[in-house]
Amino acid sequence: MQSLPECQADDHEDNRAIPLPDEISCNTAAALFRALGEPSRLQLAIILAQQEMCVTQLAKIVNDSLPSISQRLKLLKAERIVTSRREGKHVFYKLDDDHIAQLIRNAVEHAGEK
Amino acid sequence: MQSLPECQADDHEDNRAIPLPDEISCNTAAALFRALGEPSRLQLAIILAQQEMCVTQLAKIVNDSLPSISQRLKLLKAERIVTSRREGKHVFYKLDDDHIAQLIRNAVEHAGEK
DNA sequence: AATTCAATTAAACAATTGCTGAATTGATGA
DNA sequence: TCATCAATTCAGCAATTGTTTAATTGAATT
């Protein structure tokens, strides 16, 4: 009987053909995904994709404490998912750019296909 | 002196205007992000976006143990990021669809802007 | 300057996650 | 059937993460 084709990678010595994705790109891109990879943070991002909002408003809407919201926003901001501006006592957040909005739309779309 | 405009959300009672993103969507989309939100898993996804590959090959390329790779792939598969097919002793994985490839490209692009 | 409200930060704790080595399953060939 | 190789599963451990309460910072008003 004819045997099945051997695993192509038995030429284990030659990895030249497949360049590893560079480590820094992986790390920073993964950090971006990780920031959005938590329901409560993603929820904030989705809300802020619709309209700019201050921390207190967000806390009311999602019914959670200020420190929680603030910490989530801090992480989202570190990954440049949201930007903030202060206006008097309030700090307003919004989505950084359409790039991110597109990313979120794609993910929600994919998730919806289940 | 003119005082700064009040926070728009002092009408705290009326949240009708801002519908909460539905919880299930948030959870499933977040799960997708979380799966990609780990450098070693994202690395696998990026490699598999370029070509189909079996577990042993992947282990060689990223220089890690079979159980590690297998567990990562399992999670990626659970989120429908990759698909697998068995061929004899080997199980080959590849990216599920271009949807995901696009998602990854966007993220890497965004990360590169830093 | 003192008060008040918004937001952030800090520290401690609980829960989740990823990794490691051993055991197990699946499939082929002797 | 037995031996072998690929892949998965399992259980225990270490590290990371998210939450909570309290304390602190920042800005405006009196």
Side-chain angles (χ1 to χ4, degrees), chain B residues 10-26:
Chain B
D10 279 345
D11 51 331
H12 283 319
E13 314 317 323
D14 187 8
N15 291 336
R16 282 172 306 167
I18 305 107
L20 279 177
D22 96 86
E23 198 178 327
I24 299 172
S25 296
C26 270

Side-chain angles (χ1 to χ4, degrees), chain B residues 1-97:
Chain B
M1 174 204 174
Q2 170 95 26
S3 68
L4 287 167
E6 266 306 305
C7 177
Q8 294 160 341
D10 279 345
D11 51 331
H12 283 319
E13 314 317 323
D14 187 8
N15 291 336
R16 282 172 306 167
I18 305 107
L20 279 177
D22 96 86
E23 198 178 327
I24 299 172
S25 296
C26 270
N27 287 344
T28 55
L32 173 61
F33 281 129
R34 187 172 53 236
L36 294 169
E38 219 259 336
S40 55
R41 278 197 301 264
L42 180 58
Q43 186 186 31
L44 289 184
I46 291 175
I47 292 173
L48 294 175
Q50 294 173 39
Q51 64 172 89
E52 192 181 46
M53 212 172 284
C54 76
V55 185
T56 307
Q57 278 176 295
L58 286 168
K60 283 275 174 188
I61 289 177
V62 307
N63 191 34
D64 213 325
S65 70
L66 281 182
S68 291
I69 305 295
S70 186
Q71 281 170 353
R72 289 170 199 156
L73 290 170
K74 184 182 179 182
L75 216 161
L76 291 175
K77 194 178 175 183
E79 296 308 323
R80 305 194 327 130
I81 293 165
V82 301
T83 58
S84 67
R85 71 183 171 86
R86 182 175 271 273
E87 188 177 310
K89 294 180 187 172
H90 293 274
V91 178
F92 287 89
Y93 285 84
K94 67 172 182 183
L95 219 62
D96 189 18
D97 59 21

Side-chain angles (χ1 to χ4, degrees), chain A residues 3 54-56 67 70 89-91 93:
Chain A
S3 67
C54 76
V55 186
T56 306
S70 185
K89 295 179 185 173
H90 294 275
V91 178
Y93 285 83

Side-chain angles (χ1 to χ4, degrees), chain A residues 5-6 9 16 31 48 51-52 61-62 69 73 77 81 85 87 91 93 96 108 111:
Chain A
E6 264 308 305
R16 283 173 305 169
L48 294 174
Q51 65 171 90
E52 192 181 47
I61 289 176
V62 306
I69 306 295
L73 290 170
K77 193 179 175 182
I81 294 165
R85 70 182 172 84
E87 189 177 308
V91 178
Y93 285 83
D96 189 18
V108 173

